[in-house]
Amino acid sequence: MKQSLDMRQGQSLVMTPQLQQAIKLLQLSNQELAEFVENEIERNPLLNKAEENAEDGGGEQGNAPARREQLSLDDNSGLGAAREQLDAPGEDVFEPGTGSDAAMPVEGSGPSAQTDWSSATSGGSFNSEEYDFAANLTTDLTLQEHLHNQLNIAGLSAADRLIGARLIDETDEAGYLRAPLEDVAKALGADEANVAAVLAVCQGFEPTGVMARSIPECLTLQLKERGRFDPAMEAMLANLDMVAKHDLKALADVCGVDKADLMDMLGELRQLSPKPGSGFSSDTTIAVAPDVFVRELPNGSFGVELNSETLPRVLMDKAYYAEVSVLPMRDQEKEFISECAANATWLIKSLDQRARTILKVASEIVRQQDAFFAHGVAHLRPLNLKQVADVIEMHESTVSRVTSNKYMATPRGLFELKYFFSAAIPSTGGGEAHSAEAVRYRIKALIDGETEDDVLSDDQIVEILTGYGIEIARRTVAKYRESLHIPSSVQRRRINRASA
């Protein structure tokens, strides 16, 4: 055994931190991207938000802020003497709406319904008669806040109030208590019987049915408050699966009532709320902002443009960088400044590349699915990531990242980019394949057109679709029907008989 030097030649892919960051930016949603950029601005003193200037600003993208944080790593370093007042404009800037996200016409797209994309938004003033000062100060009450307010006036002891507060915190937005009582008792070091007693008090709070541990318990609380909870209702709540299947004959036998009484009981059941907490506001509700707009152009084609409002505007202040670079610094401080400059430049380039990539992918999707925009979901074509990747000369993984958590506002509504990718259903005549989403839409349309006396079975739907030139199996029809939450033909007949 001996040591030796050996020279070999090979190829390998090295993922630099900058490349990893660029890939990460592609799959971020607009809200996640905004948070990421805010964190980068806080960490990097050379990065600033690009402020929108008036038209008379001489074409400058933005001015350096009047006040800056010192870049010193040591209070005694030369960087501490950097001036805090700079008037030089920044040079490197990523400014959405200045080029990469301009409206891009998509050739080959057909006409569609006219849509007015203009929105009139105006800010009110305190002197306006329409300004409601109280409405702008108050916020909607959440379910937990509503329950805590009732707990404070329930007259419980301090220990019981602590248990009640924990039970309220374990209640979800729909109004159900999700934590087992034994877990709450163990966490608080309390007796389980005491926790159950406090829960009984809390279940008397408004809205009725809140803090139940199951749907039957929730409905039971509401029926007891109405004085309508009897053995027949108790039997019905214990067999809600029969109610869902509309098996009225078996349900009447279980409840021990005739058909007329059973229909009255079902009518009372429909008046109850299975989600008592749904009427309260939710702190976790997040509005979806589109990343891309699609609109019809005067020539009948479709234009695609980025939503610049959701893209962060950042710039690197080269004037400030040039000023602090000439100051006397130690090696560690020079390395810090250089790293900040490199990271700022790379972030700006990555943001611009991300915008261009999203626009390119969205434009190709619109070109491929022009029939959808012109005629509706029935004309959605089968499409996969590879088809788009080959046209725009990118890798499939890149297209997959771009379409994740990205939304497109179209004349037909707001859609996630992944919505336009669907499997292909073969044609019976060997012609052009059909999109799985379009076939699913046809199945729903057929079922919506049913009459009370003519309910289509899955086999009959297969025959009808075959007449349209769609080759599909019965199990596939059943799978698509279940994905649309449509009951079987047997259950639909029962529903029709019950409503007759």
Side-chain angles (χ1 to χ4, degrees), residues 446-457 460 464 489 492-493 496:
L446 289 173
I447 295 177
D448 289 342
E450 290 177 342
T451 62
E452 295 182 2
D453 300 327
D454 185 17
V455 176
L456 298 174
S457 65
Q460 290 174 312
I464 296 175
S489 58
R492 298 201 301 275
R493 288 191 185 95
N496 291 338

Side-chain angles (χ1 to χ4, degrees), residues 425-434 465-472:
I425 303 296
S427 176
T428 55
E432 184 179 356
H434 302 270
L465 293 178
T466 303
Y468 291 148
I470 302 173
E471 183 179 340
I472 189 171

Side-chain angles (χ1 to χ4, degrees), residues 4-124:
S4 63
L5 295 177
D6 188 13
M7 182 179 295
R8 297 180 181 179
Q9 185 177 5
Q11 292 182 343
S12 63
L13 178 63
V14 179
M15 296 282 288
T16 63
Q18 290 83 0
L19 181 58
Q20 294 176 10
Q21 182 191 74
I23 294 175
K24 177 183 178 182
L25 293 181
L26 277 178
Q27 58 191 10
L28 294 181
S29 65
N30 48 36
Q31 295 177 345
E32 293 170 339
L33 180 66
E35 294 177 1
F36 176 82
V37 171
E38 286 289 342
N39 292 333
E40 289 297 314
I41 292 176
E42 291 180 1
R43 295 193 313 177
N44 194 333
L46 299 182
L47 277 176
N48 295 292
K49 285 186 177 180
E51 299 179 358
E52 297 182 2
N53 294 330
E55 294 182 357
D56 58 353
E60 296 176 352
Q61 298 287 357
N63 294 330
R67 183 175 182 180
R68 305 188 181 279
E69 297 181 359
Q70 295 182 357
L71 301 182
S72 175
L73 298 178
D74 187 288
D75 292 341
N76 297 324
S77 67
L79 289 179
R83 292 186 306 170
E84 293 187 358
Q85 189 73 23
L86 293 176
D87 298 324
E91 299 180 12
D92 280 357
V93 62
F94 170 62
E95 180 72 21
T98 58
S100 64
D101 60 341
M104 177 181 292
V106 181
E107 298 182 0
S109 56
S112 68
Q114 292 284 349
T115 300
D116 183 11
W117 287 98
S118 61
S119 59
T121 56
S122 59

Side-chain angles (χ1 to χ4, degrees), residues 26 44 69 75 205 217 221 227 230 244 281 292 308 315 322 334 338-339 355 400 441 448 454 464-465 470 474 476:
L26 277 178
N44 194 333
E69 297 181 359
D75 292 341
F205 294 165
E217 185 179 17
L221 293 171
D230 52 28
S281 65
V292 180
S308 59
L315 63 85
K334 289 181 180 179
S338 299
E339 183 179 350
S400 177
Y441 172 80
D448 289 342
D454 185 17
I464 296 175
L465 293 178
I470 302 173
R474 188 197 63 81
T476 306

Side-chain angles (χ1 to χ4, degrees), residues 377 437-450 456 461 465 477 480-481 483-486 492:
V377 69
E437 190 65 32
V439 174
R440 189 180 287 108
Y441 172 80
R442 286 182 179 270
I443 293 174
K444 184 178 185 302
L446 289 173
I447 295 177
D448 289 342
E450 290 177 342
L456 298 174
I461 293 176
L465 293 178
V477 171
Y480 288 172
R481 174 178 52 76
S483 69
L484 294 170
H485 304 289
I486 297 175
R492 298 201 301 275

Side-chain angles (χ1 to χ4, degrees), residues 14 35-36 52 54 75 95 100 130 142 165 188 198 208 249 262 264 267 306 330 348 351 381 384 401 408 425 440 445:
V14 179
E35 294 177 1
F36 176 82
E52 297 182 2
D75 292 341
E95 180 72 21
S100 64
E130 299 180 355
T142 65
L188 298 178
V198 175
T208 307
K249 185 178 183 304
L262 182 66
D264 291 340
L306 292 178
R330 295 178 297 188
I348 292 171
L351 290 174
R381 297 191 181 104
N384 55 45
R401 292 186 180 95
M408 176 187 292
I425 303 296
R440 189 180 287 108

Side-chain angles (χ1 to χ4, degrees), residues 147 164 167-168 171 175-177 199 202-203 205 209-213:
L147 294 176
L167 292 174
I168 292 174
T171 303
Y176 286 90
L177 178 64
L199 175 61
C202 294
Q203 287 181 341
F205 294 165
V210 74
M211 300 182 71
R213 289 159 289 182

